[in-house]
Amino acid sequence: VQLVESGGGLVQPGGSLTLSCEGSGFTFEKYAMIWYRQAPGKERELVAAINDFGSSRKYSDSVKGRFTISRDNDKRSVYLEMNNLKQEDTAVYSCGASFSYFNPRPEHWGEGTQVTVSS
């Protein structure tokens, strides 16, 4: 089982990035997919989640209206489009695969990708 994130990097405030996470070794289309983030000294935060069919999405209040989660089951991938980035969005972003969408507890995790928002 593997989840591999990509797309992180350094971006200026107000800029955009799109993260990708590709899964392998498990039945991707049967899992809800979750994006989390963790900043230094802070607890891990659920950023966005999408159900197995991609028909339902939810977001943390801190990113609602700026981030969009999507998935492509044929490509076994989930994406996080991040717009109007702020310095407080700086964190390691990880994806998780969870049987439960309503109470996510990922059975599988990626290692994460760093996103740094700075001028």
Side-chain angles (χ1 to χ4, degrees), residues 43-112:
E43 292 187 356
R44 186 172 60 207
E45 174 188 14
L46 188 155
V47 174
I50 188 167
N51 69 346
D52 50 359
F53 292 112
S55 58
S56 183
R57 300 168 174 85
K58 56 186 176 183
Y59 301 90
S60 67
D61 288 342
S62 60
V63 306
K64 199 172 295 182
R66 299 187 298 122
F67 291 11
T68 302
I69 188 171
S70 62
R71 68 187 295 161
D72 184 336
N73 286 344
D74 290 337
K75 295 183 178 179
R76 305 175 60 83
S77 293
V78 62
Y79 309 97
L80 186 68
E81 180 182 350
M82 305 184 294
N83 296 312
N84 190 21
L85 282 160
K86 305 175 181 180
Q87 287 188 334
E88 52 263 41
D89 295 318
T90 295
V92 174
Y93 285 71
S94 303
C95 64
S98 172
F99 275 132
S100 174
Y101 169 73
F102 294 102
N103 186 22
R105 293 183 181 179
E107 284 76 23
H108 310 302
W109 286 95
E111 292 190 353

